[in-house]
């Protein structure tokens, strides 16, 4: 499922307080690639990811994901797009504190007509022994694995990850990126990762887009592994 981003602009606020967060952003991401979007805080990375996921609507420009022009979808069709095609992984996990790891993942299996087997997925992500624990009883890495399992259970064709290692230490971050790399290899999932850490992303990405002040200022393709 190829992604075509063409001349996307996004602003927040009005009048003198208006902030141009995305400025004529264009980029292509091929099906089954891992693309990392890197840049300093405030460069527009997360806003671009939210536009890809249909959480924010650009002011102008187009985003084509497969055969769907995301920027022209109605609110109802955006809901279907997020349900059917997109999985989200956030920096701070967004797990429900009163549900166990298994329950947190399980609530999303009903969004798909063909979900991945829940217990098999937990085992594959190293959570089988922790499935009955609540989020407060899990380490940061385990919570992030739970968040990834929740995103994967509905078999998304596009996985969007916003600073997935931002709250993790260096070694756990490397493990998490290796896990995402394996998901891409085994399932063919197109993965877009927003991060400020160039070193952690460079070794695994097929494409690296560098953002600065709302613009993509550099794109490196086909990084050698």
């Amino acid at each position: 499922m190829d992604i075509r981003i063409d001349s996307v602009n996004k602003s927040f606020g009005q009048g003198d307080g208006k902030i141009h967060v995305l400025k004529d952003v264009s980029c292509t991401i091929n099906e089954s690639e891992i693309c990392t979007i890197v840049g300093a805080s405030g460069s527009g990375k997360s806003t671009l990811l939210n536009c890809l996921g249909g959480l924010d609507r650009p002011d102008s420009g187009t985003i084509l994901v497969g055969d769907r022009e995301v920027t022209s979808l109605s609110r109802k069709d955006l809901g279907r797009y997020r349900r059917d095609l997109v999985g989200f992984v956030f920096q701070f996990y967004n797990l429900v504190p009163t549900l166990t790891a298994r329950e947190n993942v399980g609530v999303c299996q009903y969004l798909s007509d063909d979900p991945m087997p829940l217990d098999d997925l937990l085992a594959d992500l190293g959570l089988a022994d922790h499935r009955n624990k609540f989020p407060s009883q899990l380490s940061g890495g385990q919570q992030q694995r739970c968040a990834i399992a929740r995103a994967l259970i509905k078999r998304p064709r596009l996985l969007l990850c916003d600073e997935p290692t931002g709250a993790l230490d260096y070694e756990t971050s490397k493990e998490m990126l290796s896990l995402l790399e394996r998901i891409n290899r085994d399932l063919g999932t197109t993965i877009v990762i927003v991060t400020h850490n160039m070193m952690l992303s460079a070794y695994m990405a097929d494409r690296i887009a560098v953002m600065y002040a709302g613009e993509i200022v550099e794109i490196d393709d086909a990084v050698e592994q």
Side-chain angles (χ1 to χ4, degrees), residues 77-211:
D77 287 337
L78 276 174
R80 291 195 185 103
Y81 163 72
R82 290 192 294 265
R83 181 194 67 196
D84 296 341
L85 294 182
V86 183
F88 291 93
V89 179
F90 301 100
Q91 177 179 356
F92 295 108
Y93 324 130
N94 292 344
L95 301 177
V96 180
T98 56
L99 298 181
T100 65
R102 189 179 191 279
E103 291 168 340
N104 263 284
V105 177
V107 293
C108 288
Q109 70 183 134
Y110 303 105
L111 298 176
S112 172
D113 294 330
D114 182 30
M116 299 181 73
L118 174 54
D119 289 316
D120 290 348
L121 179 60
L122 292 175
D124 193 44
L125 296 186
L127 291 169
D129 293 338
H130 308 285
R131 57 187 169 189
N132 293 321
K133 293 181 180 179
F134 293 98
S136 62
Q137 298 171 309
L138 300 173
S139 69
Q142 290 164 350
Q143 290 183 57
Q144 189 62 295
R145 285 175 182 269
C146 187
I148 291 173
R150 183 180 56 188
L152 287 179
I153 195 165
K154 60 179 185 170
R155 300 182 191 270
R157 295 177 62 191
L158 173 62
L159 186 63
L160 303 177
C161 306
D162 192 359
E163 296 283 7
T165 63
L168 305 176
D169 61 52
Y170 180 76
E171 289 301 322
T172 307
S173 295
K174 288 201 301 183
E175 292 175 7
M176 199 59 52
L177 292 174
S178 294
L179 172 60
L180 292 173
E181 190 175 28
R182 178 162 62 88
I183 290 166
N184 168 259
R185 182 183 66 243
D186 294 348
L187 302 179
T189 307
T190 303
I191 301 178
V192 182
I193 303 171
V194 158
T195 181
H196 66 278
N197 195 323
M198 187 77 167
M199 292 182 62
L200 283 177
S201 67
Y203 81 94
M204 64 178 288
D206 300 297
R207 191 179 304 268
I208 300 174
V210 181
M211 293 195 69

